[in-house]
Amino acid sequence: MKNKELLPRNEEITQSFLLLVDTYISDLLGKRIEKQLSTSDFADSLHIASRHLSNTLKLTLNTSPCEIIENRVIEEVKTLLTETDLSIADISHQFAYRDTTNFIKFFKGITGVTPLQFRKRQKNTTNPM
């Protein structure tokens, strides 16, 4: 019975977190914020402990807050790399990376390729010779 009472709250926390992540990404793209937010920043916005947020997302989505944020950033970066001619440095600054090298390492760590390699591959698949 106790788990049934907690389930709606877990879902509420999850949905609220996902909305905050969407807003965060939108704010980065709209240049309304210029700093990266941490899991604890999101937890603070939800008025819960970071550990509670992590445990809740592990329970409801089987993933961590960091993974969700990183995946959303990567998704948007890929879109910018594919659909714009913005430089890698401009894109890195868009996502609050002061050092483009750290952004490239972040992107490669998740995707296995650098942003430039990703862009070139996308152009080659859309414009075959």
Coordinates of all heavy atoms in Angstrom, one line a residue, residues 49-107:
A49 N 16.1 16.7 -2.1 CA 17.5 16.4 -2.0 C 18.0 15.8 -3.3 O 17.2 15.1 -4.0 CB 17.8 15.4 -0.9
S50 N 19.2 16.0 -3.7 CA 19.8 15.4 -4.9 C 19.7 13.9 -4.9 O 19.3 13.3 -6.0 CB 21.3 15.8 -5.0 OG 21.4 17.2 -5.2
R51 N 20.0 13.3 -3.8 CA 19.9 11.9 -3.7 C 18.4 11.4 -4.0 O 18.2 10.4 -4.6 CB 20.4 11.4 -2.4 CG 20.3 9.9 -2.2 CD 21.0 9.4 -0.9 NE 22.4 9.8 -1.0 CZ 23.3 8.8 -1.1 NH1 23.0 7.6 -1.1 NH2 24.6 9.2 -1.1
H52 N 17.5 12.1 -3.5 CA 16.1 11.7 -3.7 C 15.7 11.8 -5.2 O 15.1 11.0 -5.7 CB 15.1 12.6 -2.8 CG 13.7 12.2 -2.9 ND1 13.2 11.0 -2.6 CD2 12.6 13.0 -3.3 CE1 11.9 10.9 -2.8 NE2 11.5 12.1 -3.2
L53 N 16.2 12.9 -5.8 CA 16.0 13.1 -7.3 C 16.6 11.9 -8.0 O 16.0 11.3 -8.9 CB 16.5 14.4 -7.8 CG 16.4 14.6 -9.3 CD1 15.0 14.6 -9.7 CD2 17.1 16.0 -9.6
S54 N 17.8 11.6 -7.7 CA 18.5 10.5 -8.4 C 17.8 9.2 -8.1 O 17.6 8.4 -9.1 CB 20.0 10.4 -7.8 OG 20.7 11.5 -8.2
N55 N 17.4 8.9 -6.9 CA 16.7 7.6 -6.6 C 15.4 7.6 -7.3 O 15.0 6.5 -7.8 CB 16.5 7.5 -5.1 CG 17.8 7.2 -4.4 OD1 18.8 6.8 -5.0 ND2 17.8 7.5 -3.1
T56 N 14.7 8.7 -7.4 CA 13.4 8.7 -8.0 C 13.5 8.4 -9.5 O 12.8 7.6 -10.1 CB 12.7 10.1 -7.8 OG1 12.5 10.3 -6.4 CG2 11.4 10.1 -8.5
L57 N 14.5 9.1 -10.2 CA 14.7 8.8 -11.6 C 15.2 7.4 -11.9 O 14.8 6.9 -12.9 CB 15.6 9.9 -12.2 CG 15.1 11.3 -12.2 CD1 16.1 12.3 -12.7 CD2 13.8 11.4 -12.9
K58 N 16.0 6.9 -11.0 CA 16.4 5.5 -11.2 C 15.2 4.6 -11.1 O 15.1 3.6 -11.9 CB 17.4 5.2 -10.1 CG 18.1 3.8 -10.3 CD 19.0 3.9 -11.5 CE 19.8 2.6 -11.6 NZ 20.5 2.5 -12.8
L59 N 14.3 4.9 -10.2 CA 13.1 4.0 -10.1 C 12.1 4.2 -11.2 O 11.6 3.2 -11.8 CB 12.4 4.4 -8.7 CG 11.1 3.7 -8.4 CD1 11.4 2.2 -8.1 CD2 10.4 4.4 -7.3
T60 N 11.9 5.4 -11.7 CA 10.9 5.7 -12.7 C 11.4 5.5 -14.1 O 10.6 5.1 -15.0 CB 10.2 7.1 -12.5 OG1 11.3 8.1 -12.6 CG2 9.5 7.2 -11.2
L61 N 12.6 5.9 -14.4 CA 13.2 5.9 -15.7 C 14.4 5.0 -15.9 O 14.9 4.9 -17.0 CB 13.5 7.3 -16.2 CG 12.4 8.3 -16.2 CD1 13.0 9.7 -16.5 CD2 11.3 7.9 -17.2
N62 N 14.8 4.4 -14.8 CA 16.0 3.6 -14.8 C 17.3 4.3 -15.4 O 18.0 3.7 -16.1 CB 15.8 2.3 -15.6 CG 16.8 1.2 -15.2 OD1 17.2 1.1 -14.1 ND2 17.1 0.3 -16.2
T63 N 17.4 5.5 -15.0 CA 18.5 6.3 -15.4 C 18.8 7.4 -14.4 O 18.0 7.6 -13.5 CB 18.3 6.9 -16.8 OG1 19.5 7.5 -17.3 CG2 17.2 8.0 -16.8
S64 N 19.9 8.1 -14.6 CA 20.3 9.2 -13.6 C 19.9 10.6 -14.2 O 19.8 10.7 -15.4 CB 21.8 9.1 -13.4 OG 22.5 9.6 -14.5
P65 N 19.9 11.6 -13.3 CA 19.6 12.9 -13.8 C 20.7 13.4 -14.8 O 20.4 14.0 -15.8 CB 19.6 13.8 -12.5 CG 19.4 12.8 -11.4 CD 19.9 11.5 -11.9
C66 N 21.9 13.0 -14.5 CA 23.0 13.5 -15.4 C 22.9 12.9 -16.7 O 23.1 13.6 -17.7 CB 24.4 13.0 -14.8 SG 24.9 14.0 -13.4
E67 N 22.5 11.6 -16.8 CA 22.3 11.0 -18.1 C 21.2 11.7 -18.9 O 21.3 11.9 -20.1 CB 22.0 9.5 -18.0 CG 23.2 8.7 -17.6 CD 22.8 7.2 -17.6 OE1 22.8 6.5 -18.6 OE2 22.5 6.7 -16.5
I68 N 20.1 12.0 -18.3 CA 19.0 12.7 -18.9 C 19.5 14.1 -19.5 O 19.2 14.4 -20.6 CB 17.8 12.8 -18.0 CG1 17.2 11.5 -17.7 CG2 16.8 13.8 -18.6 CD1 16.2 11.4 -16.6
I69 N 20.2 14.8 -18.6 CA 20.6 16.2 -19.0 C 21.6 16.0 -20.2 O 21.5 16.7 -21.2 CB 21.2 16.9 -17.8 CG1 20.2 17.1 -16.7 CG2 21.9 18.2 -18.3 CD1 20.8 17.5 -15.4
E70 N 22.6 15.1 -20.0 CA 23.6 14.9 -21.1 C 23.0 14.5 -22.4 O 23.4 15.0 -23.4 CB 24.6 13.9 -20.6 CG 25.6 14.4 -19.5 CD 26.4 13.3 -18.9 OE1 26.3 12.1 -19.2 OE2 27.3 13.7 -18.2
N71 N 22.0 13.6 -22.3 CA 21.4 13.1 -23.5 C 20.6 14.2 -24.2 O 20.6 14.3 -25.5 CB 20.5 11.9 -23.3 CG 21.3 10.7 -23.0 OD1 22.5 10.6 -23.4 ND2 20.7 9.7 -22.3
R72 N 20.0 15.1 -23.5 CA 19.2 16.2 -24.1 C 20.2 17.2 -24.7 O 19.9 17.7 -25.8 CB 18.3 16.9 -23.0 CG 17.1 16.1 -22.6 CD 16.0 16.2 -23.7 NE 15.4 17.5 -23.7 CZ 15.5 18.3 -24.8 NH1 16.0 18.0 -25.9 NH2 14.9 19.5 -24.7
V73 N 21.3 17.5 -24.0 CA 22.3 18.4 -24.6 C 22.8 17.8 -25.9 O 22.9 18.5 -26.9 CB 23.4 18.7 -23.5 CG1 24.6 19.4 -24.2 CG2 22.9 19.5 -22.4
I74 N 23.2 16.6 -25.9 CA 23.7 15.9 -27.0 C 22.7 16.0 -28.2 O 23.1 16.2 -29.3 CB 24.2 14.5 -26.8 CG1 25.4 14.5 -25.9 CG2 24.4 13.7 -28.0 CD1 26.7 15.1 -26.5
E75 N 21.5 15.7 -27.9 CA 20.4 15.7 -28.9 C 20.4 17.1 -29.6 O 20.3 17.2 -30.8 CB 19.1 15.4 -28.2 CG 17.9 15.4 -29.0 CD 16.6 15.1 -28.2 OE1 16.7 14.1 -27.4 OE2 15.7 15.8 -28.3
E76 N 20.4 18.2 -28.7 CA 20.3 19.5 -29.3 C 21.6 19.9 -30.0 O 21.6 20.6 -31.1 CB 20.1 20.5 -28.2 CG 18.7 20.4 -27.5 CD 17.5 20.6 -28.5 OE1 17.7 21.4 -29.5 OE2 16.5 20.0 -28.3
V77 N 22.8 19.5 -29.5 CA 24.0 19.7 -30.2 C 24.0 19.1 -31.6 O 24.4 19.7 -32.6 CB 25.2 19.2 -29.4 CG1 26.5 19.3 -30.2 CG2 25.4 20.1 -28.1
K78 N 23.6 17.8 -31.6 CA 23.5 17.1 -32.9 C 22.6 17.9 -33.9 O 23.0 18.0 -35.1 CB 23.0 15.7 -32.8 CG 24.0 14.8 -32.2 CD 23.4 13.4 -32.0 CE 24.4 12.3 -31.5 NZ 23.8 11.0 -31.4
T79 N 21.5 18.4 -33.4 CA 20.6 19.2 -34.3 C 21.3 20.4 -34.8 O 21.3 20.7 -36.0 CB 19.3 19.6 -33.5 OG1 18.7 18.4 -33.1 CG2 18.4 20.5 -34.4
L80 N 22.0 21.1 -33.9 CA 22.8 22.3 -34.3 C 23.9 22.0 -35.3 O 24.1 22.7 -36.3 CB 23.3 23.1 -33.1 CG 22.3 23.8 -32.2 CD1 23.0 24.4 -31.0 CD2 21.6 24.8 -33.0
L81 N 24.6 20.9 -35.1 CA 25.7 20.5 -36.0 C 25.1 20.1 -37.4 O 25.8 20.3 -38.4 CB 26.4 19.3 -35.4 CG 27.3 19.6 -34.2 CD1 27.8 18.3 -33.5 CD2 28.5 20.5 -34.6
T82 N 23.9 19.5 -37.4 CA 23.3 19.1 -38.6 C 22.6 20.2 -39.4 O 22.7 20.3 -40.6 CB 22.3 17.9 -38.4 OG1 23.0 16.9 -37.6 CG2 21.7 17.4 -39.6
E83 N 21.9 21.1 -38.7 CA 21.1 22.0 -39.3 C 21.6 23.5 -39.4 O 20.9 24.3 -40.0 CB 19.7 22.0 -38.6 CG 19.0 20.7 -38.7 CD 17.7 20.7 -38.0 OE1 17.3 21.7 -37.4 OE2 17.1 19.6 -37.9
T84 N 22.8 23.7 -38.8 CA 23.3 25.1 -38.9 C 24.8 25.0 -39.3 O 25.4 23.9 -39.3 CB 23.3 25.8 -37.5 OG1 24.2 25.2 -36.6 CG2 21.9 25.7 -36.9
D85 N 25.3 26.1 -39.6 CA 26.8 26.2 -39.9 C 27.5 26.9 -38.7 O 28.6 27.4 -38.9 CB 27.0 27.0 -41.2 CG 26.5 26.3 -42.4 OD1 26.7 25.1 -42.4 OD2 26.0 26.9 -43.3
L86 N 26.9 26.9 -37.5 CA 27.6 27.5 -36.3 C 28.9 26.7 -36.1 O 29.0 25.5 -36.3 CB 26.7 27.3 -35.1 CG 25.5 28.2 -35.0 CD1 24.6 27.8 -33.8 CD2 25.9 29.7 -34.9
S87 N 29.9 27.5 -35.7 CA 31.2 26.8 -35.4 C 31.1 26.0 -34.2 O 30.1 26.1 -33.3 CB 32.3 27.9 -35.2 OG 32.0 28.6 -33.9
I88 N 32.0 25.0 -34.0 CA 32.0 24.2 -32.8 C 32.2 25.0 -31.6 O 31.5 24.8 -30.6 CB 33.1 23.1 -32.9 CG1 33.1 22.3 -34.2 CG2 33.2 22.2 -31.7 CD1 31.8 21.6 -34.5
A89 N 33.0 26.1 -31.7 CA 33.2 27.0 -30.5 C 31.9 27.7 -30.2 O 31.5 27.8 -29.0 CB 34.3 28.0 -30.8
D90 N 31.1 28.1 -31.2 CA 29.9 28.8 -30.9 C 28.9 27.9 -30.3 O 28.2 28.3 -29.3 CB 29.3 29.4 -32.2 CG 30.0 30.6 -32.7 OD1 30.7 31.3 -31.9 OD2 29.8 30.9 -33.9
I91 N 28.8 26.6 -30.7 CA 27.9 25.7 -30.2 C 28.3 25.3 -28.7 O 27.5 25.2 -27.8 CB 27.8 24.4 -31.0 CG1 27.2 24.7 -32.4 CG2 27.1 23.3 -30.3 CD1 27.2 23.6 -33.4
S92 N 29.6 25.2 -28.5 CA 30.1 24.9 -27.1 C 29.7 26.0 -26.2 O 29.3 25.8 -25.1 CB 31.6 24.6 -27.1 OG 32.4 25.8 -27.3
H93 N 29.9 27.3 -26.6 CA 29.5 28.4 -25.8 C 28.0 28.5 -25.6 O 27.5 28.9 -24.5 CB 30.0 29.7 -26.4 CG 31.5 29.8 -26.5 ND1 32.3 29.9 -25.3 CD2 32.3 29.9 -27.5 CE1 33.5 29.9 -25.7 NE2 33.6 29.9 -27.0
Q94 N 27.2 28.0 -26.6 CA 25.8 28.0 -26.5 C 25.3 27.1 -25.3 O 24.4 27.4 -24.6 CB 25.2 27.4 -27.8 CG 23.7 27.4 -27.9 CD 23.2 28.8 -28.4 OE1 23.7 29.3 -29.3 NE2 22.2 29.3 -27.8
F95 N 26.1 26.1 -25.0 CA 25.8 25.1 -24.0 C 26.7 25.4 -22.7 O 26.9 24.5 -21.9 CB 25.9 23.7 -24.5 CG 24.8 23.4 -25.4 CD1 24.9 23.5 -26.8 CD2 23.5 23.0 -24.9 CE1 23.8 23.3 -27.6 CE2 22.5 22.7 -25.7 CZ 22.6 22.9 -27.1
A96 N 27.1 26.6 -22.6 CA 27.8 27.1 -21.4 C 29.2 26.4 -21.1 O 29.6 26.3 -20.0 CB 26.9 27.0 -20.2
Y97 N 29.8 26.0 -22.2 CA 31.2 25.5 -22.1 C 32.1 26.7 -22.3 O 32.1 27.3 -23.4 CB 31.5 24.4 -23.0 CG 31.0 23.1 -22.6 CD1 29.7 22.7 -22.9 CD2 31.8 22.2 -21.9 CE1 29.2 21.4 -22.4 CE2 31.3 21.0 -21.4 CZ 30.0 20.6 -21.7 OH 29.6 19.4 -21.3
R98 N 32.9 27.1 -21.4 CA 33.9 28.2 -21.6 C 35.0 27.7 -22.4 O 35.6 28.5 -23.1 CB 34.3 28.7 -20.2 CG 33.3 29.5 -19.5 CD 33.8 30.2 -18.3 NE 32.9 31.2 -17.7 CZ 31.9 30.9 -17.0 NH1 31.5 29.7 -16.7 NH2 31.1 31.9 -16.5
D99 N 35.4 26.4 -22.2 CA 36.5 25.9 -22.9 C 36.0 24.9 -24.0 O 35.4 23.8 -23.6 CB 37.4 25.2 -21.9 CG 38.7 24.6 -22.6 OD1 38.9 24.7 -23.8 OD2 39.5 24.0 -21.8
T100 N 36.2 25.2 -25.2 CA 35.7 24.3 -26.3 C 36.3 22.9 -26.3 O 35.6 22.0 -26.6 CB 36.0 25.0 -27.7 OG1 35.4 26.3 -27.7 CG2 35.5 24.2 -28.8
T101 N 37.5 22.8 -25.8 CA 38.2 21.5 -25.7 C 37.4 20.6 -24.7 O 37.2 19.4 -25.0 CB 39.6 21.7 -25.1 OG1 40.3 22.6 -26.0 CG2 40.3 20.3 -25.1
N102 N 36.9 21.1 -23.6 CA 36.1 20.3 -22.7 C 34.8 19.9 -23.4 O 34.3 18.8 -23.2 CB 35.8 21.1 -21.4 CG 37.0 21.2 -20.5 OD1 37.9 20.4 -20.6 ND2 37.0 22.2 -19.7
F103 N 34.2 20.8 -24.2 CA 33.0 20.4 -24.9 C 33.2 19.3 -25.9 O 32.4 18.4 -26.0 CB 32.4 21.7 -25.6 CG 31.4 21.4 -26.6 CD1 30.1 21.1 -26.2 CD2 31.6 21.4 -28.0 CE1 29.1 20.8 -27.1 CE2 30.6 21.1 -28.9 CZ 29.3 20.8 -28.4
I104 N 34.3 19.4 -26.6 CA 34.7 18.3 -27.6 C 34.9 17.0 -26.9 O 34.4 16.0 -27.3 CB 35.9 18.7 -28.4 CG1 35.6 19.9 -29.3 CG2 36.4 17.6 -29.2 CD1 36.8 20.6 -30.0
K105 N 35.5 17.0 -25.7 CA 35.7 15.8 -24.9 C 34.4 15.2 -24.5 O 34.2 14.0 -24.5 CB 36.7 16.1 -23.7 CG 38.1 16.3 -24.1 CD 38.9 16.6 -22.9 CE 40.3 17.0 -23.2 NZ 41.1 17.4 -22.1
F106 N 33.5 16.1 -24.0 CA 32.2 15.7 -23.5 C 31.4 15.0 -24.7 O 30.9 13.9 -24.5 CB 31.4 16.9 -23.0 CG 29.9 16.8 -22.9 CD1 29.4 16.0 -21.9 CD2 29.1 17.4 -23.8 CE1 28.0 15.8 -21.9 CE2 27.7 17.2 -23.8 CZ 27.2 16.4 -22.8
F107 N 31.4 15.7 -25.8 CA 30.7 15.2 -27.0 C 31.2 13.8 -27.4 O 30.5 12.9 -27.7 CB 30.7 16.2 -28.1 CG 29.8 15.8 -29.3 CD1 28.5 16.2 -29.3 CD2 30.3 15.1 -30.4 CE1 27.7 15.9 -30.4 CE2 29.5 14.7 -31.4 CZ 28.2 15.1 -31.5

